[in-house]
Amino acid sequence: RDLAESLPLLADGYNRYHYDDKAEAYREARSRLSRCQSCFLILKDVGVLNTNDVSPICEGLEGGIGRLNGLISRMEDDE
């Protein structure tokens, strides 16, 4: 659910006019992606998935979270 709701949040932020509104939507999307990453790590820790299954997914999520951090920082700088 968190992963599915991340894209509409990004679109919502993209369509907002004020930088603080954009940043808030991006923060919420980042939070949801981070929660997804944590869920995959928990699945690995309890043995449902292995490192080979989880590593590429978590690395991809980490990259997306990092890019969102950059967007949020730029929004905060432009305020």
Side-chain angles (χ1 to χ4, degrees):
R1 187 177 97 198
D2 283 325
L3 192 56
E5 291 173 359
S6 296
L7 189 57
L9 283 167
L10 290 171
D12 187 41
Y14 182 81
N15 287 312
R16 294 199 181 180
Y17 180 74
H18 296 286
Y19 288 124
D20 56 338
D21 293 336
K22 285 179 176 288
E24 184 57 36
Y26 291 156
R27 279 188 205 97
E28 183 61 31
R30 178 185 60 190
S31 175
R32 290 174 188 256
L33 290 174
S34 182
R35 192 172 16 224
C36 289
Q37 184 182 36
S38 295
C39 289
F40 279 108
L41 292 171
I42 290 167
L43 288 170
K44 180 187 69 118
D45 287 347
V46 298
V48 174
L49 297 173
N50 64 41
T51 301
N52 293 335
D53 297 328
V54 171
S55 288
I57 296 167
C58 286
E59 288 172 13
L61 287 168
E62 190 66 33
I65 291 165
R67 287 185 287 283
L68 279 172
N69 284 335
L71 280 172
I72 292 165
S73 291
R74 283 195 297 277
M75 297 294 136
E76 292 170 345
D77 290 344
D78 290 340
E79 284 186 308

